[in-house]
Amino acid sequence: MTITPPALSVFETLESEVRSYCRGWPAVFDRAQGSRLTDEDGHSYLDFFAGAGALNYGHNNPVLKRALIDYIERDGITHGLDMATTAKRAFLESFQNVVLRPRDLPYKVMFPGPTGTNAVESALKLARKVKGRESIVSFTNAFHGMSLGSLAVTGNAFKRAGAGVPLVHGTPMPFDNYLDGQTQDFLWFERLLDDQGSGLNKPAAVIVETIQGEGGINVARPEWLRALADLCHRQDMLLIVDDIQMGCGRTGAFFSFEEAGITPDIVTLSKSISGYGLPMSLCLFRPELDIWEPGEHNGTFRGNNPAFVTAAAALTAYWADGQMEKQTIARGEQVERALAAICAESADESTAGRGARSIGSDGDGGDGDSTGGPGGPAAEFRGRGLVWGLEFADKERASAVCARAFELGLLLETSGPVGEVVKLLPPLTITPEELDEGLRTLARAVLETA
């Protein structure tokens, strides 16, 4: 497929230079359905980005669309602040019956605003209010949002620099395997907590992603997460799990922390909780933490009733029978097999002296690498469910792979501190045939950028 970049005059002359995704995908998109987008010239693109995880059920999902259209046509409430509405009631009942009760999770539900960073800000505020302390511990390569409180617990230097003011009351600690296994888990953290001369203010909470999406698809081991939960309990700190991108089934289970068998004190959700890409976020917390005064945290658009409608429809359609989790795990195994094949083929090319870099898998079911010469592995892949990353030692190659994939009709994005990881984030509803098509396109893009 040959794609001619469109004349983007109004975007270039009127829209701010802050725009980013459109620079890697120079097309004017017009329609979308399922796992595909179509630009105004009729070119079709397979979507392995899914709205940065906001479209787990695909574009214009017909089940959710029907529920939304019916609601709008009967003049259902659109904007409701935090008023009681039939749409909110239906969502809360569905969330309680389909998600919380089967998992024996006792959480109260707060609607903090339309976006993920609203949920994180409310979680941080609540933790500080409950514990009466200011400090929050986060982890290296974390990403929690773009407002000031969320940025203070985000690791990326480029994003932090955009704040323009000091980012305070946050302390970073090493994420799982950040020190390549050379230091015992939490040795440094616990030593600081126990030493009265360490200079670390007693934290109110620890915030963590079980899989760091923007940070480079860094997967925390279940035992590491359990040890973190135990540390928080022993040291009287609240545990916040940011499940904004990895929740709603992205890793298989509805919540990404289920595999580890932990129950966080606070959980943040957004992105795919509405199911349709409509703005919505939740902050979930143990009932004893619900010490808010009425109106102490509010927001004009926290009552997005059309989002409640599609969210309830998504829970009923995809989570009432347990099939979505099984399907996502199966699709993840399909991705892993394909990445292993890409690695093997690239390694063969390198051995044959054709200049292709070596990429490989150790076959352990989630993280692979192969030796690419004296400097170590040329690339490695890691992931779980339907979130995967392919990291290149040549840190510029990931961008080249994504650019070539776009030319071939596949939407991919990079992640990691310097964009060194190709990120795979297809809709959970993608068919095996579509997934295979996208993986074959990725394989071609990898080989053609070697």
Side-chain angles (χ1 to χ4, degrees), residues 1 10 63 117 121 123 163 198 216 252 264 391 412:
M1 176 171 62
V10 69
V63 175
T117 199
E121 293 284 357
S198 71
E391 179 178 359
L412 289 167

Side-chain angles (χ1 to χ4, degrees), residues 197-426:
S198 71
L200 176 67
N201 293 331
K202 182 77 171 183
V206 174
I207 186 168
V208 68
E209 303 156 275
T210 65
I211 300 177
Q212 295 181 324
E214 298 306 306
I217 317 301
N218 304 312
V219 183
R221 294 167 295 141
E223 56 266 32
W224 186 86
L225 291 169
R226 287 191 290 269
L228 175 61
D230 178 66
L231 174 62
C232 288
H233 178 73
R234 287 187 287 104
Q235 294 284 353
D236 188 32
M237 303 178 296
L238 297 178
L239 176 61
I240 305 169
V241 168
D242 181 340
D243 233 6
I244 287 166
Q245 187 168 89
M246 298 304 157
C248 301
R250 176 54 56 182
T251 66
F254 187 86
F255 294 106
S256 71
F257 55 80
E258 291 183 52
E259 182 187 22
I262 62 174
T263 301
D265 299 294
I266 304 175
V267 180
T268 59
L269 288 176
S270 187
K271 290 192 182 286
S272 276
I273 188 60
S274 81
Y276 203 74
L278 298 174
M280 179 179 172
S281 73
L282 303 177
C283 185
L284 314 176
F285 40 81
R286 296 181 185 273
E288 61 269 25
L289 304 181
D290 192 12
I291 62 172
W292 291 114
E293 296 290 337
E296 191 174 7
H297 185 96
N298 57 24
T300 303
F301 294 102
R302 66 195 186 281
N304 187 354
N305 281 256
F308 297 157
V309 171
T310 54
L315 294 178
T316 301
Y318 294 104
W319 292 99
D321 61 3
Q323 292 305 305
M324 176 57 75
E325 180 175 352
K326 295 177 182 177
Q327 176 178 298
T328 299
I329 291 171
R331 299 286 192 273
E333 292 170 352
Q334 183 179 349
V335 173
E336 186 175 4
R337 289 192 298 269
L339 289 177
I342 290 172
C343 298
E345 183 175 356
S346 297
D348 289 344
E349 289 283 335
S350 179
T351 302
R354 296 181 220 174
R357 291 188 176 273
S358 174
I359 307 168
S361 170
D362 59 12
D364 66 355
D367 189 22
D369 65 81
S370 71
T371 302
E380 60 183 17
F381 65 89
R382 51 187 178 264
R384 201 170 92 217
L386 275 176
V387 51
W388 291 83
L390 182 61
E391 179 178 359
F392 294 92
D394 177 357
K395 298 187 183 301
E396 296 182 358
R397 191 171 172 202
S399 294
V401 169
C402 291
R404 181 57 182 145
F406 172 78
E407 294 172 348
L408 298 171
L410 176 66
L411 300 184
L412 289 167
E413 249 298 320
T414 62
S415 70
V418 292
E420 71 276 21
V421 179
V422 174
K423 182 179 184 181
L424 282 68
L425 208 69

Side-chain angles (χ1 to χ4, degrees), residues 16-300:
S16 167
E17 292 298 316
V18 78
R19 64 192 189 280
S20 60
Y21 295 119
C22 58
R23 298 180 187 275
W25 303 329
V28 178
F29 297 103
D30 183 46
R31 303 184 311 281
Q33 207 286 317
S35 301
R36 296 185 186 274
L37 290 87
T38 305
D39 69 19
E40 62 181 358
D41 295 323
H43 297 121
S44 177
Y45 302 82
L46 192 56
D47 187 3
F48 268 31
F49 186 59
L55 296 166
N56 281 3
Y57 312 104
H59 297 267
N60 287 305
N61 181 289
V63 175
L64 311 189
K65 180 167 65 175
R66 185 71 265 162
L68 180 59
I69 290 173
D70 289 346
Y71 183 77
I72 292 172
E73 285 185 339
R74 74 169 183 81
D75 292 330
I77 298 292
T78 295
H79 181 270
L81 295 166
D82 67 355
M83 295 184 293
T85 66
T86 56
K88 182 194 281 190
R89 180 174 60 200
F91 167 72
L92 285 171
E93 290 175 346
S94 295
F95 193 70
Q96 183 176 49
N97 293 331
V98 176
V99 176
L100 297 181
R101 278 181 178 160
R103 293 162 178 81
D104 197 25
L105 294 173
Y107 296 135
K108 297 289 289 291
V109 178
M110 175 183 177
F111 300 97
T115 72
T117 199
N118 293 127
V120 171
E121 293 284 357
S122 65
L124 301 181
K125 286 172 64 174
L126 180 60
R128 287 168 170 142
K129 181 179 174 67
V130 168
K131 292 300 182 182
R133 310 175 202 139
E134 297 176 349
S135 178
I136 303 290
V137 166
S138 58
F139 290 94
T140 50
N141 291 314
F143 178 80
H144 296 291
M146 299 298 284
S147 51
L148 292 181
S150 301
L151 268 181
V153 290
T154 288
N156 187 280
F158 174 74
K159 293 180 173 65
R160 289 175 63 89
V165 298
L167 297 172
V168 297
H169 308 308
T171 303
M173 291 291 167
F175 190 71
D176 190 12
N177 204 40
Y178 183 76
L179 299 173
D180 301 319
Q182 297 178 14
T183 302
Q184 179 183 337
D185 293 338
F186 307 115
L187 176 64
W188 172 243
F189 189 4
E190 192 148 21
R191 182 70 60 84
L192 291 178
L193 290 169
D194 291 337
D195 184 357
Q196 295 299 309
S198 71
L200 176 67
N201 293 331
K202 182 77 171 183
V206 174
I207 186 168
V208 68
E209 303 156 275
T210 65
I211 300 177
Q212 295 181 324
E214 298 306 306
I217 317 301
N218 304 312
V219 183
R221 294 167 295 141
E223 56 266 32
W224 186 86
L225 291 169
R226 287 191 290 269
L228 175 61
D230 178 66
L231 174 62
C232 288
H233 178 73
R234 287 187 287 104
Q235 294 284 353
D236 188 32
M237 303 178 296
L238 297 178
L239 176 61
I240 305 169
V241 168
D242 181 340
D243 233 6
I244 287 166
Q245 187 168 89
M246 298 304 157
C248 301
R250 176 54 56 182
T251 66
F254 187 86
F255 294 106
S256 71
F257 55 80
E258 291 183 52
E259 182 187 22
I262 62 174
T263 301
D265 299 294
I266 304 175
V267 180
T268 59
L269 288 176
S270 187
K271 290 192 182 286
S272 276
I273 188 60
S274 81
Y276 203 74
L278 298 174
M280 179 179 172
S281 73
L282 303 177
C283 185
L284 314 176
F285 40 81
R286 296 181 185 273
E288 61 269 25
L289 304 181
D290 192 12
I291 62 172
W292 291 114
E293 296 290 337
E296 191 174 7
H297 185 96
N298 57 24
T300 303

